[in-house]
Amino acid sequence: MEIQTAQKHQALSIARLIMQAMNYDCCRYFAGPDHTLDDFERVMTELVLSDNSQYSYKNTLVALDADGGLCGACVSYDGGRLHELRRAFIEAAKANFGRDFSDIGDETQAGELYLDSIAVNESCRGKGVATALLQATIDKGRALGLPAVGLLVDKGNPKAEKLYLRVGFNYVGDNSWGGHEMKHLQYAL
């Protein structure tokens, strides 16, 4: 397995993994009742292709198998840039879905590399891909000189929470995102 910075040609696969990480209920929430998951996937792919979006390929690490196939992806960025990077999502939601999310709560803040999304293709699960992506993200946070790596985990996803705790993340508080109650975890650097 090799971890590397994402490339533009991987955008559709990355968008699909981001949607898995969000969970499809959240995707439907953002797309609204008049739009499909396919509509949301198209918008997410455009956001991955963007240079200045929280979901940009530039903010994404990917795990490749021995044949170069995409096994997983992890999107992370400096939490201090959240509002700047989120603008692309807010504008895309208005333009494509007629929905205004400009008042959405902050899931991160300055002082942490925010791990926005992590997902592993089903065929690659159980092979250490998520752990490798988490470790590479921790290394990215160190390289950026940030004091912590943070993430939100859905309170209804104890399996993911167990993985994060095993890697060394610690509970620091509660939050909500996309209509779901979440725990805020951090890895101190």
Side-chain angles (χ1 to χ4, degrees):
M1 174 178 27
E2 181 182 346
I3 306 293
Q4 63 180 233
T5 302
Q7 307 285 319
K8 278 189 169 190
H9 72 272
Q10 299 163 325
L12 177 59
S13 296
I14 293 167
R16 288 176 174 162
L17 286 167
I18 292 169
M19 289 174 64
Q20 282 181 34
M22 285 181 166
N23 94 37
Y24 296 120
D25 289 339
C26 284
C27 297
R28 284 185 194 93
Y29 167 78
F30 286 120
D34 299 328
H35 299 280
T36 66
L37 285 176
D38 287 339
D39 296 331
F40 192 76
E41 178 182 278
R42 180 183 45 78
V43 170
M44 288 305 299
T45 302
E46 291 170 7
L47 291 169
V48 173
L49 286 167
S50 168
D51 287 343
N52 197 29
S53 148
Q54 66 197 95
Y55 303 111
S56 173
Y57 70 98
K58 290 184 172 185
N59 296 327
T60 306
L61 296 173
V62 292
L64 304 177
D65 63 21
D67 298 324
L70 193 98
C71 279
C74 183
V75 178
S76 63
Y77 47 85
D78 181 341
R81 296 185 60 212
L82 174 64
H83 293 174
E84 166 198 344
L85 294 172
R86 186 191 282 161
R87 236 176 289 145
F89 176 81
I90 292 169
E91 290 170 10
K94 284 179 188 176
N96 291 278
F97 308 129
R99 306 199 63 195
D100 184 0
F101 294 106
S102 56
D103 63 349
I104 194 168
D106 291 350
E107 64 255 41
T108 185
Q109 68 274 331
E112 71 178 13
L113 178 69
Y114 181 62
L115 194 157
D116 186 291
S117 308
I118 184 171
V120 175
N121 281 327
E122 192 170 339
S123 63
C124 298
R125 292 184 186 153
K127 299 177 182 175
V129 175
T131 300
L133 284 166
L134 287 168
Q135 191 57 56
T137 301
I138 290 165
D139 294 343
K140 178 180 172 181
R142 275 194 192 101
L144 291 172
L146 293 168
V149 176
L151 59 84
L152 296 182
V153 61
D154 194 311
K155 288 183 177 182
N157 192 351
K159 189 174 177 181
E161 182 179 358
K162 183 178 178 181
L163 168 66
Y164 302 140
L165 294 173
R166 183 175 50 78
V167 169
F169 284 81
N170 294 297
Y171 172 80
V172 294
D174 292 321
N175 203 329
S176 64
W177 186 85
H180 289 264
E181 292 302 310
M182 310 289 253
K183 290 183 180 181
H184 184 188
L185 306 180
Q186 279 188 338
Y187 185 103
L189 299 174

